[in-house]
Amino acid sequence: MKLVPFFVLTLIAALFSQTILGQESEEFIDAAHRFEMYYLAKDSLKLHASINPRNKITVKKIILGNKKHNLELELSDNLCDLPIRDSLIVYLTNKFKQYLPESYQDYNITFFAGGRELSEYIPNYYRLKEKNYDKERLPVRHGTRPERKLVIQKQQKYLLKNGLQNANIALWSSHGWYYNNVRDRWEWQRSRLFTTAEDLLTTSIVVPYLIPMLENAGANVWSARERDYTPTMLIADSCQNAETWSISAQRTGFATPKRAMTNENPFQLGSYYYKENARKSDSLVYAIPITHSNEYGVHISYAKGSGKAIYKVYHAGGITQYTVDQTMAYGTWVDLGRFRFEAKTTAYIVVQPERNGERILTADAVRLGGGMGNVSRNGQTSGKPRWAEAARYHEQFSGAPKASVWSLHNDSNDYTDDYQGRGEWVNWLLGGIFGPTITDSTSLYKGLNIPIDLAFALHTDSGLFPKDSIVGTLAIYSDQTQDGRFPDQQSKIASRDLADLIQTQVVNDTRAQYRKNWTRRGLWNAKYSEAARPNVPSMLLELLSHQNPADVEAALDPNYRFLVARSIYKGMLRFLSVQHTAEYLVQPLPPQALATQLTKNKAIRIHWEATTDSLEPTAKPEFYIVYQSYNDQAYDNGTLVKNSEYLLPSPKSGIYNFRVAAVNSGGESLLSDEVSVGFTPYNDQEILIVNTFERLAAPTFLRGNKQIGFFRTIDPGVADNTELSTVGEQKTYNPNVPFTDNDSPGFGASYSDLEAQPTLGNTHNYAQIHGKSILANGYNFTTYSRQYFDKANLPDTPYFAIDILAGAQKSTETKINKQLKYQLYTARFLRKISEYTQQGSHILLTGSYLGSETLCDTSLTSSIQEILGLKFHADHAVKKPDIYLLTNRTAPYRASLRSPEHYLTPSPDALAPAAATAKVWARYAENNFSAAILYSTNVQILSLTTPIETLDTEAERTALFNQILGVFANSEPNKP
């Protein structure tokens, strides 16, 4: 081949005149020069690939092939930052040919970068046909790699065949609370910025969203950080029915440390039970007294066995059964799921062999809850719950070997041990030839024989951009170690496939549903420990910048957290479908438009609608699972139904609660909002509860000339179920204050008084809270979601009253097309209320923003005043929304601003009467502002700005409902 010398196209062509190249080569050089200037420029590539390269891309070499009409161009390595597709290669080829003379148009052009032909960077997923796959990046299915099989299998009500069944995924959420050896103190690894810290922010995506989505698709998920945020921990290390079992002689089982751990491995402090030739009658029973009612994660451990064991968890909602393969994952904690247990009861976990005559069955310990950190460093424990701690300490508590996983630097540097040890923890899970890079003298270094398919680390990055600019999403992988191959000789370019698919999914979904200008950063090939150390396809995703307020505005929005977790799950699903040659379906979205009804013969009917996923055509439900609970009991294991309706024929007196999941052969959706029914045989009058509280939102974000940031005092936002990421209020709003260190991070600096304290947001179950008080006052009740209410027909028999539960519902502007979301008052909504009042139903409307919401659409002002009899008087009327009734000024109803029982109560509005027959009915105890308006028409309409569900006690809620329903029952219609 004839090699044309290296050149940089920013140099003038005269640099090449000293070399005798021939006319043909000079024309190629000239074409390459213009090609680089116009089509390898950042802006041009960004238009095509939707990504701005880190630096200018250059042509490094031109190679003329020995055969006629072959021309190869080697481009600079940073071209590999781009997602490579056939379309990009065609684009580059066509643009280069534009500068070639006519006589060279039939030349075959091949591009190279980073030592590979450009087409080699196209992920297998985008090669469309299996025959075009790069087989070297597919996993080895035989020989030294463990057989792919499920470690844990829950009893399924449906056939799971197109999801993540048989998959094992290792993951973690960035950093955590750790011991700084130099400063001799515990601290976060990243700054407290904009009311959060990276150490907690990524956990608020991984724990409530990503892990459940993966598990609902059938995967086993292994987390390097504790995933259970229940602060109580209960451990049973001894069993009932153990008389015929043997106990191990060596210390190779778990024992609860008698004091805070230092360097101990708790799985080498105790013993375990084992039974040879075990039969199903040889069951062990763990009994754990429950001290506090709560949801607890159930974690089991066992020693290496010969086959499969059955674990039965007896919880408040019934019995849930799992099959566990004891030839894998021995000597560590194995998560079974979260279950409700009630105080003053006993939790039972039963272990037995799957089949009679099991050669060796083992059992070690059972743990409920995550608990507090119990690793001591220089005499100090962390003082934080274990879920907030760095991976290093959870790896130690989970039995990983010291020298090869969590203490790579002999206890001298916890920070480095933490990020380097995460990849070695993956290798320990794998075991065998995939085991840790460094081994110690323990017998555990060979690992746990778990066939991990991939490893994933979720991070956020630093970076500060002006105004409303987005730093965006970066993906990092590595093929730069071990000659670019894993121990079984699978090519590490598979990690690039994983990184590309997940980054592509995240960016595309974000642009489609959240923010059109979301930035896609590069695909970096770098020796980051979390990307380079695991011996399976691995990646690190820098989702956004925790230092840039526009990025953080997205990160604090629960809607975005759900979206990005689903994107990551879909990226993993697509990657593994190619890795294992399987058809896939994406699990459906949760059902919507739920409603309950009491039929004439007092049966309960619940119905719903499927939610269309505009981003994923395969996410269509085939079945549904209806979960139900009775009174205060926990939810059961669900009933599989084919249609979008369920009938409970003979309900008992009391309250039934329902949630629904949509199902296909790819998995199960997350749960719908809750709807409830209350039934008493002593009264035929019925109240309809309409749950219009759908809102999920970030705290108020404001951008001024001198102050930028999040103002939780204006509106703390609404979390989805539980908020894990808050550290405290922002305290530095001046964008010109510079970063000094993590203690003094400058712009965005935040307080620390709220960190690692989970707080409730919208728990989607407020109908049953209202319903308890309604039923206690002698009325039946049913529930409509807002979506169903807006389009439902009126019943033949009027409801006695309509209880419209608005909570913290408030108009919120989206980044897509600047549309309003969660608007309380709409023309349709007001029309429905009017129709119900005309039919004779009284109206109770409660919510914090009943007044200020009237200002969102001025075209509705007159309708609101005419139909509801109220108008806006003042926002942020009080800090403490205690109220008293004008009929009883000495007995206030108390509502806590912050409570573990409900969402943060936003500072509510004050109202004013807007009609001659409207009057003040209740006032705030703090300043006597108006908190409720009673409007008399042909019915009574009461609007109250202290949400009833935020009152301190059930007794107060029931007493207030008694007063309200008394007003309704004793009213006489106004004559026209």
Side-chain angles (χ1 to χ4, degrees):
M1 304 179 78
K2 181 167 63 176
L3 179 64
V4 175
F6 284 80
F7 69 100
V8 179
L9 293 179
T10 53
L11 299 177
I12 61 174
L15 291 175
F16 299 96
S17 62
Q18 299 175 7
T19 306
I20 301 174
L21 300 173
Q23 181 63 33
E24 183 182 68
S25 298
E26 289 177 0
E27 289 172 327
F28 291 151
I29 291 170
D30 180 64
H33 174 68
R34 288 188 286 171
F35 170 63
E36 184 189 51
M37 286 188 66
Y38 296 106
Y39 290 108
L40 294 185
K42 285 186 177 185
D43 291 344
S44 296
L45 279 173
K46 185 176 182 181
L47 286 173
H48 184 82
S50 299
I51 177 174
N52 205 337
R54 280 179 285 178
N55 302 297
K56 182 179 179 181
I57 295 172
T58 61
V59 179
K60 294 168 65 176
K61 293 181 188 177
I62 300 177
I63 302 175
L64 304 177
N66 290 327
K67 295 183 179 180
K68 190 177 181 181
H69 296 171
N70 285 334
L71 182 63
E72 299 176 358
L73 273 73
E74 182 177 339
L75 307 181
S76 51
D77 292 353
N78 60 321
L79 180 68
C80 302
D81 287 359
L82 276 64
I84 308 300
R85 306 287 186 268
D86 283 322
S87 60
L88 178 62
I89 297 172
V90 170
Y91 168 85
L92 294 174
T93 302
N94 291 339
K95 295 306 179 184
F96 180 67
K97 283 189 173 184
Q98 284 185 12
Y99 297 106
L100 288 176
E102 184 68 29
S103 57
Y104 303 131
Q105 289 300 309
D106 61 346
Y107 269 55
N108 294 318
I109 311 297
T110 306
F111 294 98
F112 290 81
R116 298 176 186 272
E117 185 179 336
L118 214 54
S119 61
E120 293 183 42
Y121 294 106
I122 300 174
N124 277 340
Y125 177 82
Y126 290 109
R127 298 186 182 198
L128 303 180
K129 295 182 179 180
E130 187 177 344
K131 67 179 182 179
N132 297 327
Y133 288 176
D134 174 7
K135 301 300 191 295
E136 291 192 352
R137 67 185 75 179
L138 299 178
V140 178
R141 295 174 181 249
H142 58 277
T144 55
R145 187 169 190 127
E147 179 188 350
R148 295 185 69 251
K149 51 186 174 181
L150 205 63
V151 179
I152 315 156
Q153 185 174 15
K154 182 179 178 180
Q155 278 185 316
Q156 293 287 355
K157 297 179 179 296
Y158 56 93
L159 180 61
L160 187 61
K161 61 180 181 180
N162 300 115
L164 291 170
Q165 66 281 359
N166 295 332
N168 286 276
I169 295 171
L171 52 69
W172 51 91
S173 52
S174 62
H175 306 282
W177 190 250
Y178 85 108
Y179 175 72
N180 186 315
N181 304 67
V182 176
R183 291 183 170 183
D184 186 26
R185 72 173 194 181
W186 289 80
E187 63 185 31
W188 297 119
Q189 296 185 38
R190 294 295 182 264
S191 307
R192 299 175 177 94
L193 289 171
F194 300 115
T195 77
T196 187
E198 178 187 353
D199 312 62
L200 298 174
L201 184 59
T202 51
T203 297
S204 69
I205 297 171
V206 168
V207 170
Y209 295 118
L210 179 57
I211 289 177
M213 288 175 184
L214 295 172
E215 291 182 333
N216 282 7
N220 293 165
V221 180
W222 308 88
S223 176
R225 288 177 65 180
E226 176 63 69
R227 57 188 281 186
D228 187 345
Y229 52 85
T230 304
T232 303
M233 180 174 69
L234 306 170
I235 295 179
D237 196 22
S238 59
C239 293
Q240 300 174 5
N241 302 356
E243 296 81 4
T244 63
W245 288 61
S246 302
I247 298 177
S248 62
Q250 293 83 22
R251 292 193 176 276
T252 52
F254 178 86
T256 305
K258 295 181 179 179
R259 59 183 183 278
M261 296 187 299
T262 53
N263 293 316
E264 300 97 324
N265 181 339
F267 282 87
Q268 294 182 340
L269 297 178
S271 55
Y272 61 87
Y273 296 99
Y274 68 95
K275 178 73 174 179
E276 297 181 355
N277 299 314
R279 302 184 63 80
K280 291 183 179 180
S281 57
D282 294 319
S283 60
L284 281 182
V285 179
Y286 291 90
I288 305 178
I290 303 299
T291 54
H292 298 88
S293 298
N294 209 336
E295 281 194 350
Y296 295 82
V298 175
H299 318 266
I300 62 169
S301 66
Y302 47 87
K304 187 173 184 179
S306 61
K308 294 179 179 179
I310 299 296
Y311 280 80
K312 295 179 181 179
V313 180
Y314 291 74
H315 51 91
I319 306 170
T320 304
Q321 180 172 307
Y322 296 86
T323 302
V324 179
D325 188 340
Q326 292 194 341
T327 66
M328 300 182 281
Y330 35 79
T332 192
W333 295 115
V334 176
D335 299 313
L336 295 186
R338 288 181 68 82
F339 302 93
R340 178 83 183 179
F341 297 96
E342 300 295 341
K344 300 180 181 180
T345 65
T346 300
Y348 293 101
I349 290 86
V350 176
V351 190
Q352 64 186 53
E354 183 188 46
R355 58 182 177 84
N356 285 325
E358 185 62 61
R359 188 165 57 86
I360 300 176
L361 183 70
T362 72
D364 193 352
V366 171
R367 168 168 67 99
L368 303 187
M372 301 295 289
N374 64 344
V375 174
S376 176
R377 306 293 287 122
N378 199 21
Q380 310 170 49
T381 55
S382 74
K384 298 278 193 239
R386 195 189 323 279
W387 68 266
E389 290 184 338
R392 179 198 189 278
Y393 313 106
H394 181 56
E395 290 161 2
Q396 179 180 354
F397 186 62
S398 299
K402 176 183 177 181
S404 55
V405 176
W406 51 268
S407 184
L408 302 175
H409 298 84
N410 197 27
D411 290 343
S412 64
N413 190 333
D414 283 20
Y415 181 91
T416 306
D417 281 345
D418 182 50
Y419 72 78
Q420 290 184 350
R422 298 169 202 159
E424 299 302 342
W425 167 80
V426 175
N427 298 337
W428 172 65
L429 296 179
L430 280 158
I433 62 168
F434 303 93
T437 305
I438 304 170
T439 60
D440 63 16
S441 58
T442 74
S443 61
L444 292 176
Y445 84 90
K446 293 181 180 179
L448 306 188
N449 200 34
I450 304 170
I452 301 294
D453 289 277
L454 64 87
F456 174 79
L458 182 63
H459 286 256
T460 58
D461 206 351
S462 58
L464 182 60
F465 282 7
K467 296 186 178 179
D468 207 28
S469 300
I470 293 291
V471 173
T473 303
L474 167 70
I476 300 171
Y477 69 99
S478 179
D479 66 1
Q480 299 181 21
T481 58
Q482 300 169 308
D483 297 323
R485 294 189 177 274
F486 296 116
D488 64 351
Q489 298 307 299
Q490 179 187 10
S491 171
K492 287 192 172 185
I493 199 68
S495 293
R496 181 186 168 95
D497 280 17
L498 174 66
D500 191 345
L501 288 175
I502 289 179
Q503 185 192 35
T504 297
Q505 196 71 58
V506 167
V507 173
N508 288 351
D509 289 355
T510 300
R511 289 173 177 171
Q513 287 196 343
Y514 193 81
R515 189 154 180 162
K516 292 180 179 178
N517 66 336
W518 195 264
T519 303
R520 177 169 186 158
R521 299 167 67 193
L523 278 162
W524 289 4
N525 186 356
K527 291 184 181 180
Y528 283 56
S529 287
E530 292 162 286
R533 285 178 178 260
N535 284 326
V536 289
S538 310
M539 71 161 298
L540 185 157
L541 188 72
E542 299 278 10
L543 176 63
L544 45 77
S545 171
H546 54 252
Q547 191 182 10
N548 194 55
D551 290 58
V552 179
E553 188 180 11
L556 295 182
D557 186 343
N559 296 288
Y560 184 64
R561 293 175 182 176
F562 177 92
L563 175 68
V564 78
R566 188 166 168 87
S567 301
I568 294 167
Y569 143 66
K570 289 190 292 186
M572 291 180 180
L573 177 64
R574 289 184 166 91
F575 172 75
L576 291 178
S577 72
V578 171
Q579 290 294 94
H580 302 294
T581 318
E583 296 291 329
Y584 73 85
L585 292 178
V586 173
Q587 63 190 221
L589 290 170
Q592 61 180 355
L594 277 77
T596 59
Q597 294 172 335
L598 278 170
T599 66
K600 291 182 179 179
N601 60 358
K602 299 305 181 184
I604 295 174
R605 177 180 289 113
I606 172 175
H607 46 96
W608 57 89
E609 294 177 4
T611 302
T612 300
D613 187 346
S614 61
L615 300 177
E616 181 51 57
T618 73
K620 296 178 180 178
E622 301 168 4
F623 302 97
Y624 299 92
I625 298 179
V626 179
Y627 296 92
Q628 71 179 57
S629 72
Y630 176 65
N631 287 339
D632 290 324
Q633 296 175 2
Y635 273 92
D636 65 10
N637 288 324
T639 302
L640 189 70
V641 298
K642 186 172 183 180
N643 301 314
S644 55
E645 185 174 283
Y646 175 70
L647 188 70
L648 185 65
S650 301
K652 297 179 291 185
S653 178
I655 296 177
Y656 288 85
N657 306 305
F658 301 92
R659 279 183 157 155
V660 183
V663 173
N664 62 21
S665 60
E668 180 178 338
S669 74
L670 300 188
L671 293 176
S672 71
D673 289 0
E674 183 180 83
V675 287
S676 303
V677 178
F679 170 66
T680 173
Y682 306 111
N683 190 348
D684 287 334
Q685 287 188 302
E686 186 176 330
I687 293 175
L688 171 64
I689 301 174
V690 181
N691 185 4
T692 70
F693 182 18
E694 305 163 308
R695 181 172 173 243
L696 303 171
T700 293
F701 175 68
L702 298 175
R703 182 183 292 277
N705 292 329
K706 295 183 179 180
Q707 287 196 322
I708 300 172
F710 297 88
F711 294 80
R712 289 168 50 86
T713 51
I714 297 176
D715 179 10
V718 183
D720 186 8
N721 288 303
T722 303
E723 177 60 74
L724 303 175
S725 74
T726 306
V727 297
E729 305 289 345
Q730 185 176 335
K731 59 184 179 181
T732 304
Y733 292 90
N734 185 343
N736 297 317
V737 178
F739 177 92
T740 301
D741 60 19
N742 280 1
D743 288 352
S744 182
F747 176 45
S750 301
Y751 290 105
S752 58
D753 56 307
L754 302 178
E755 59 194 26
Q757 300 177 35
T759 55
L760 289 183
N762 189 345
T763 49
H764 312 281
N765 67 340
Y766 297 111
Q768 62 132 319
I769 295 175
H770 282 221
K772 282 183 182 180
S773 295
I774 290 172
L775 193 66
N777 279 286
Y779 292 87
N780 299 325
F781 73 90
T782 52
T783 309
Y784 283 2
S785 66
R786 168 65 180 268
Q787 293 168 314
Y788 188 84
F789 176 76
D790 279 353
K791 61 185 179 182
N793 295 322
L794 267 64
D796 295 333
T797 303
Y799 292 104
F800 171 71
I802 313 297
D803 174 12
I804 302 175
L805 190 165
Q809 189 78 351
K810 179 182 180 181
S811 299
T812 306
E813 189 177 79
T814 68
K815 293 294 182 180
I816 293 287
N817 300 326
K818 301 294 183 182
Q819 295 177 338
L820 282 182
K821 191 176 183 180
Y822 306 125
Q823 193 169 351
L824 177 58
Y825 302 121
T826 64
R828 175 182 288 184
F829 180 66
L830 292 169
R831 184 168 61 251
K832 295 301 293 187
I833 294 175
S834 178
E835 290 173 357
Y836 278 103
T837 59
Q838 291 171 26
Q839 196 184 36
S841 298
H842 302 288
I843 302 294
L844 171 62
L845 174 61
T846 61
S848 292
Y849 301 114
L850 303 185
S852 54
E853 275 294 284
T854 65
L855 307 178
C856 292
D857 187 344
T858 56
S859 68
L860 298 175
T861 301
S862 60
S863 295
I864 293 170
Q865 294 182 5
E866 180 183 347
I867 294 170
L868 299 176
L870 64 83
K871 62 183 178 180
F872 171 74
H873 181 63
D875 61 5
H876 295 81
V878 289
K879 280 194 169 183
K880 188 167 177 55
D882 295 351
I883 62 168
Y884 65 88
L885 310 187
L886 269 63
T887 55
N888 185 357
R889 299 169 184 264
T890 61
Y893 294 87
R894 304 186 184 281
S896 297
L897 177 67
R898 175 180 293 276
S899 168
E901 305 297 329
H902 61 72
Y903 56 93
L904 295 177
T905 307
S907 186
D909 295 338
L911 303 176
T917 58
K919 63 182 181 180
V920 175
W921 188 75
R923 296 189 183 276
Y924 293 116
E926 180 181 315
N927 56 15
N928 293 326
F929 284 16
S930 170
I933 300 297
L934 180 63
Y935 179 35
S936 297
T937 61
N938 64 310
V939 295
Q940 299 293 320
I941 300 172
L942 180 63
S943 302
L944 171 65
T945 53
T946 291
I948 295 178
E949 64 272 13
T950 66
L951 295 182
D952 284 353
T953 66
E954 184 178 338
E956 286 185 286
R957 294 191 289 271
T958 300
L960 182 55
F961 262 107
N962 180 263
Q963 293 291 317
I964 295 168
L965 297 176
V967 169
F968 292 169
N970 297 323
S971 67
E972 291 186 7
N974 281 354
K975 304 293 184 184

